[in-house]
Amino acid sequence: MRSISFLDMLSNISEEDIRLFIEKYRGFGPLPGILLPLLESFLPILPIFFIVLVNAQVYGLGLGFLFSWLGITIGSYSIFLIARTLGKKLNVYLQKKYSTKHKPKFLIKHKHRIQKASQIFHWIEKRGFSVIFILACLPFAPTFLVNVVAGLSEVSKRTFFIATCLGKAFMSFLVSLVGYDILSVAENPWKLILTTSLLFIIWIVGKRLEMRFA
């Protein structure tokens, strides 16, 4: 019989498993509702869509949205800061080690990949807010990768925080709304129109905040 690894167990977590966990530890107040989405930032194999959805069903639309948003935002910003710190240390180390006139064999061998990565970083830095915001709005986007890449780039902490905070607010609210009353959303198309309008308004507000504090 094949042994089940920890990662296999996480990848097979269902909506019902999440519901049982939150209800079991609901006596700790908002802690399980915040902890699960926070952990997902470090363990992207966890199903964030189901976590946010169940939070809304267990805690209610308002608190469920709030707990999910706080957990995701704190986790994302933590990953960003870790990547920023480690990236700076790695950069200093490489500069000291390869501060010679001759490029190391590693850089020569992987020159194409390095240039391609530099283009990605430059693209994110140039369109920092919009890219991070849009990806933060998508519940199935590779959030962990976005956080790490943004941390390694030159995107400012303020820009990342504002974009992530607003984007994750929209994503958490949208999924919470679906989880809380999916039939109501299906029967009332105006709610989808209102949600889309909210997305546009949040994006405009975020861009203005970015320009104001830039």
Side-chain angles (χ1 to χ4, degrees), residues 121-183:
F121 286 132
H122 178 69
W123 180 66
I124 291 178
E125 290 161 4
K126 187 177 180 180
R127 299 175 176 83
F129 178 86
S130 296
V131 172
I132 296 170
F133 173 78
I134 292 173
L135 291 175
C137 288
L138 304 176
F140 301 106
T143 302
F144 180 83
L145 183 61
V146 173
N147 298 336
V148 171
V149 172
L152 295 176
S153 71
E154 294 298 323
V155 171
S156 70
K157 294 179 181 178
R158 181 182 290 109
T159 295
F160 178 84
F161 180 78
I162 293 175
T164 299
C165 192
L166 295 178
K168 293 304 181 184
F170 175 81
M171 186 276 285
S172 299
F173 176 75
L174 179 61
V175 177
S176 296
L177 183 62
V178 171
Y180 183 72
D181 195 357
I182 188 171
L183 292 178

Side-chain angles (χ1 to χ4, degrees), residues 10 15 31 47 49 52-54 75 87-88 129 141 152 157 190 196 199 205 213:
L10 290 179
E15 178 183 347
L31 186 59
F49 181 85
V52 177
L53 187 141
V54 171
K88 287 182 178 180
F129 178 86
L152 295 176
K157 294 179 181 178
W190 64 268
T196 303
L199 171 63
V205 171
F213 294 112

Side-chain angles (χ1 to χ4, degrees), residues 20-72:
L20 290 173
F21 175 85
I22 293 178
E23 290 179 344
K24 181 179 180 180
Y25 295 101
R26 195 175 176 182
F28 290 93
L31 186 59
I34 296 175
L35 182 61
L36 276 181
L38 192 156
L39 284 177
E40 188 276 337
S41 300
F42 293 85
L43 300 170
I45 196 171
L46 290 172
I48 188 61
F49 181 85
F50 289 144
I51 292 174
V52 177
L53 187 141
V54 171
N55 262 352
Q57 293 174 347
V58 174
Y59 292 103
L61 179 59
L63 290 178
F65 153 72
L66 179 62
F67 297 159
S68 297
W69 178 44
L70 286 175
I72 296 172

